[in-house]
């Protein structure tokens, strides 16, 4: 948990909606960021997802730098899985669901492993209760990778 | 089919392996290109995929430009789907399988709808027989979208 004063500061600094607890915003231009990896989330969510990262995050992935440096930001975009109307074996993005952000600031977010979290639907943050679940899950499962689930996906023929 | 002379010219112009029939190469730096959309390919392939596009392709998608202009290039990266060892409901990229390229040149590839195709494994093109299947499938299913299956995925909160 962050002190209320820190949350207020984060809200004041940003012009766009901020997540509860952390005061994280959706970063400008993230749709153009390099992708880290795709993922499939099973039912009941049944979603196709992509994680993208800013330059700082991507550089850290490529160099194998852990923990991620301050300024690293990861964004996970999610859509309902839809069977392709054009090609039966394929599933493609259907309706967009959530945008989820992890922003690294080791001092600001010292109480949550150095990461601030934000989950947004249609550009608006979801409630406090949902944000209270972020860190516990990441801490319990991938603390040894600086609380980051997603690994950088390397295509065939590259290293 | 391209004339043999055109294929020879494409091979001579490029320093990297080229696909049969089309003489398409894997473009430099494509791993950093903006993603168009993720996809899931059902069994037996059982793959997670991402299509990325170069600037020309992405600009055409955003503007709704059809047909795509010459110079547009799309690359599809594929991995075997692997259940996440960290979080049971998630599937993530396993071993990398293929890299597939569509390159637009309306004159050079006039006989195949303006697109040249390349399918690569570990940086090497697969055989002629596989490349003979590309255009027929695209022509039969998505000719009205300039032979391109993948649509630009818009995340929640963006337009």
């Amino acid at each position: 948990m962050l002190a209320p004063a820190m949350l207020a500061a984060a809200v004041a600094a940003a012009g766009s909606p901020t997540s509860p607890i952390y005061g994280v915003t959706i970063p400008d231009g993230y749709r153009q960021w390099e992708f880290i990896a795709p993922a499939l989330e099973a039912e009941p969510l049944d979603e196709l997802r992509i994680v993208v990262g800013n330059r700082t995050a991507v550089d850290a992935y490529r160099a194998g730098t852990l923990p991620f440096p301050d300024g690293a930001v990861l964004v996970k975009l999610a859509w309902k899985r839809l069977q392709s109307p054009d090609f039966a074996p394929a599933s493609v993005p259907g309706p967009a669901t959530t945008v989820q952000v992890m922003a690294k600031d080791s001092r600001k977010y010292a109480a949550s492993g150095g990461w601030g979290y934000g989950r947004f639907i249609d550009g608006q943050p979801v409630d406090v209760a949902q944000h209270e679940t972020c860190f516990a899950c990441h801490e319990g499962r991938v603390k040894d990778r600086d609380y980051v689930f997603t690994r950088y996906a390397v295509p065939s023929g590259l290293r």
Side-chain angles (χ1 to χ4, degrees), chain A residues 70 103-116 135 146-147:
Chain A
D70 284 359
K104 188 72 183 275
D105 185 327
S106 55
R107 291 174 58 181
K108 183 175 179 180
Y109 302 122
S112 54
W115 292 96
F135 177 55
D146 194 28
Y147 309 95

Side-chain angles (χ1 to χ4, degrees), chain A residues 45-49 77-80 94-100 120-123:
Chain A
L45 284 176
D46 199 19
E47 292 181 344
L48 281 170
R49 298 173 167 195
L77 302 63
W79 298 266
K80 285 294 180 189
T97 56
T98 57
V99 169
Q100 300 179 74
F120 300 85
I121 295 176
D122 290 335

Side-chain angles (χ1 to χ4, degrees), chain A residues 10 34 53 58 73 87 95 100 147 150:
Chain A
E34 182 173 338
V58 169
V73 181
F87 187 65
Q100 300 179 74
Y147 309 95
T150 304

Side-chain angles (χ1 to χ4, degrees), chain A residues 34 36 54-69 151-152 154 159:
Chain A
E34 182 173 338
I36 308 300
N54 67 359
R55 184 84 270 142
T56 301
V58 169
D59 288 347
Y61 268 114
R62 292 222 199 103
T65 302
L66 285 180
F68 284 84
R151 298 172 185 270
Y152 186 87
V154 180
R159 287 165 187 258

Side-chain angles (χ1 to χ4, degrees), chain A residues 10-100:
Chain A
V11 171
S16 55
T18 58
S19 63
I21 303 176
Y22 299 103
V24 164
T25 61
I26 298 176
D28 288 340
Y30 74 91
R31 180 61 182 80
Q32 280 67 57
W33 290 359
E34 182 173 338
F35 82 83
I36 308 300
L40 173 71
E41 179 86 8
E43 295 180 335
L45 284 176
D46 199 19
E47 292 181 344
L48 281 170
R49 298 173 167 195
I50 283 188
V51 170
V52 298
N54 67 359
R55 184 84 270 142
T56 301
V58 169
D59 288 347
Y61 268 114
R62 292 222 199 103
T65 302
L66 285 180
F68 284 84
D70 284 359
V73 181
L74 300 170
V75 184
K76 181 162 61 182
L77 302 63
W79 298 266
K80 285 294 180 189
R81 186 178 68 81
L82 180 73
Q83 185 174 336
S84 169
D86 304 312
F87 187 65
S91 291
V92 298
T97 56
T98 57
V99 169
Q100 300 179 74

